[in-house]
Structures are given as structure tokens and as C-alpha cells.
Amino acid sequence: GGWTTAASLTSTDVYACGTISYPVLDLVGWAADGTHDFESQYLHSLIGPLAEAPDRYRDRSPLHRAARLSVPFVLLQGLEDPICPPVQCERFLEALKGRGIPHAYLSFEGEGHGFRRADTMVRALEAELSLYAQVFGFAAPDIPELPLAE
């Protein structure tokens, strides 16, 4: 999932790149009214109550470990995502600004948590393949090259 990729990329240097899809990037913000009611207590059972473990929430958040990210990535987000709101992606990208990490952010109108439209899925998969082709140095014929910003 998105959180797993983002957490991995911000906590280790084993990966050459990554694709982060509709992620939770700020556990504190997500737990404190950052998601809809169905998901709101999810972290409570995984990490503990926010009121009792705020440091643990912060320490495990990719947003607060963004300075440790050192590899190219593509970030994919549905703009109508009620589970992982796009504002988390915006904050994450802001934390990376000026660090020179090659990346692309693709946001999709009308998409939520998990893509449903065929054109979105095709674009997301092409972007992911292009990232891997650029990082690992192989040809991806008929796939548009994903521009990576720094």
C-alpha cells in the first residue's frame, strides 16, 4: 500500500525507487479527523491511542521522515479520496521541496481511494513503468516518459 511504500522509502536505503499510491503520510493528521469515520480508529489498534502515543504516531509518519527519502518516486493520488486526503500528499511534497529528489505527482480528478476508471489505471501503470525504466535503465517502448521534477 501507499503507507508501506512511503514508510519504507523514508526509513531505509534498500530501494532504488518507489511507487506510492493513495497513501497515509501523516499518521497524526490522519488519526485526528483526517479520514472518514469508518477508518478513524484503525491506527488505535495498530499504534495505540493517539493521546497516549503522539510521539509514536509522529515518528512513524513518512511526512516527518521525508528528509530521509533519497530515491526517485512517483506519487499517485485520487483527488476525491475520503480515506487518504490529497492534502497529505501536498504536505509531503512540500517537505521534500528543494531536496533534489526526482519525483512525479499524478493526481486524478474523480478518483477516490483505489482507482476505478480505465484511463486512470492505464496512466498510473504507465507512469510506474516509466519510473522503473528510467531508474533501472531499460526501454519501455510505447510508454510515455514520466517527467520527473526535483
Side-chain angles (χ1 to χ4, degrees):
W3 181 83
T4 301
T5 303
S8 294
L9 293 177
T10 58
S11 64
T12 184
D13 61 358
V14 244
Y15 303 102
C17 63
T19 299
I20 305 170
S21 303
Y22 28 89
V24 174
L25 295 165
D26 176 12
L27 299 174
V28 175
W30 198 73
D33 299 327
T35 190
H36 61 72
D37 288 342
F38 180 73
E39 300 284 339
S40 65
Q41 299 301 308
Y42 182 64
L43 297 179
H44 186 95
S45 64
L46 294 175
I47 300 173
L50 176 59
E52 294 174 20
D55 291 340
R56 193 178 312 148
Y57 277 70
R58 181 176 166 76
D59 293 344
R60 293 181 184 179
S61 293
L63 173 65
H64 299 287
R65 296 190 309 205
R68 298 173 68 183
L69 195 145
S70 62
V71 297
F73 67 94
V74 61
L75 179 55
L76 306 169
Q77 178 67 46
L79 292 177
E80 318 308 324
D81 188 341
I83 298 171
C84 298
V87 68
Q88 292 217 352
C89 293
E90 295 161 15
R91 290 179 187 144
F92 186 69
L93 294 170
E94 186 63 32
L96 289 169
K97 194 177 267 184
R99 296 220 25 254
I101 306 298
H103 68 280
Y105 176 49
L106 297 167
S107 58
F108 299 97
E109 284 287 339
E111 292 285 9
H113 194 73
F115 301 142
R116 306 288 186 267
R117 295 190 332 238
D119 61 325
T120 300
M121 289 186 268
V122 167
R123 180 66 186 114
L125 288 171
E126 286 178 344
E128 185 174 8
L129 180 58
S130 178
L131 173 70
Y132 300 151
Q134 290 176 60
V135 170
F136 296 115
F138 62 86
D142 302 322
I143 300 296
E145 183 170 322
L146 177 68
L148 298 175
E150 291 188 9

